[in-house]
Amino acid sequence: MFEEIEYSAALLAGLLSFFSPCILPLVPSYFSFITGISIDELARAEGAGARRKVLYSTLAFVFGFSIVFILLGATAAYFSGLLQGAKVYLRIAGGVLIILLGLHLLGVLRIRALDIEKRAHIDRKPVHLLGTVLIGMAFGAGWSPCIGPMLGSILILAGNQDTVLQGVGLLSLYSAGLALPFIALSIGIHFLFSFVRRAAKAIRYINIAAGMLLILTGILLITDKFRLLTYIG
């Protein structure tokens, strides 16, 4: 049950990351870039062939950034395992860091490094699915500073796992949470622009909810009471 709560938190963190300033407003541009289809053509997406191209390109793209995040999770869990004797101190330090990330999302504390939008800027569009996977990996690395609060909190949780496999599991679910909106929009591409406009209005409230979630997670991690979440509801 305890692991299920952690996995649910990882999935939710990935979903919330989709609504970050470096992803949500630029989603139409991402789709245009990875498919080679203009934004105007995406709005119409006429024909089964065009819709299949959007879906396949999106799957390759999310696979690419998932590779980056999963490798980060495996690395965090591996090095944490080497420092088994310092696990308690790592847990407390990690909890403090998660609280700071939560305060950043709430706007109480500004961490300048997380305010900088770092994205991969690539002039050429990928010409095949392998190229799109590589683009996904590049964008995953470029997104990391912008989605740092949510990604960082899950990496800290991964570092507190007993095995590398558990850390990989957490980041796999984080990646799935981030990937789901991309895949859903690729299937219903006609709703892309109206969705982005409406969701952009709620970014502030999503950040507040995410910040509060991170602060709660950090407190429970510091006090080693994370299992209390299993009794909620």
Side-chain angles (χ1 to χ4, degrees):
M1 182 66 176
F2 175 50
E3 289 183 355
E4 290 178 4
I5 295 296
E6 285 188 318
Y7 291 151
S8 298
L11 185 66
L12 179 59
L15 184 60
L16 291 173
S17 294
F18 178 81
F19 295 92
S20 63
C22 58
I23 296 183
L24 179 63
L26 299 173
V27 165
S29 298
Y30 291 147
F31 274 108
S32 177
F33 184 84
I34 65 177
T35 61
I37 301 173
S38 70
I39 290 179
D40 289 339
E41 290 173 324
L42 279 174
R44 297 190 301 271
E46 297 173 350
R51 289 192 292 271
R52 279 198 300 270
K53 183 175 184 179
V54 172
L55 177 59
Y56 294 157
S57 296
T58 302
L59 291 174
F61 180 68
V62 301
F63 179 69
F65 68 64
S66 295
I67 291 173
V68 172
F69 297 144
I70 290 170
L71 287 176
L72 287 174
T75 302
Y78 174 74
F79 282 104
S80 175
L82 296 179
L83 301 171
Q84 195 68 30
K87 203 84 168 183
V88 174
Y89 303 105
L90 290 174
R91 172 176 55 77
I92 294 173
V96 171
L97 181 56
I98 289 177
I99 290 174
L100 293 176
L101 294 174
L103 292 173
H104 171 79
L105 284 179
L106 289 176
V108 175
L109 173 70
R110 302 312 302 176
I111 303 175
R112 288 190 175 184
L114 298 178
D115 283 332
I116 300 174
E117 289 186 21
K118 295 182 179 179
R119 297 188 300 274
H121 295 282
I122 304 171
D123 295 328
R124 287 190 169 185
K125 296 180 180 180
V127 294
H128 45 65
L129 291 181
L130 177 58
T132 308
V133 171
L134 295 176
I135 294 301
M137 294 177 68
F139 273 82
W143 282 336
S144 295
C146 183
I147 60 177
M150 303 309 298
L151 175 61
S153 65
I154 302 305
L155 285 175
I156 290 170
L157 287 181
N160 279 275
Q161 301 304 303
D162 295 325
T163 67
V164 172
L165 186 59
Q166 289 174 324
V168 167
L170 280 175
L171 270 297
S172 296
L173 282 169
Y174 174 85
S175 300
L178 179 56
L180 282 174
F182 278 105
I183 296 172
L185 287 173
S186 72
I187 295 172
I189 195 68
H190 295 89
F191 302 101
L192 172 63
F193 299 97
S194 61
F195 172 81
V196 170
R197 282 195 301 269
R198 293 175 182 175
K201 298 176 182 178
I203 285 182
R204 178 172 174 271
Y205 303 103
I206 293 171
N207 280 341
I208 291 174
M212 293 175 66
L213 177 64
L214 290 188
I215 291 172
L216 173 62
T217 300
I219 292 172
L220 292 175
L221 200 58
I222 290 172
T223 58
D224 200 18
K225 300 295 184 182
F226 207 91
R227 288 177 174 80
L228 287 177
L229 291 178
T230 61
Y231 300 106
I232 296 177

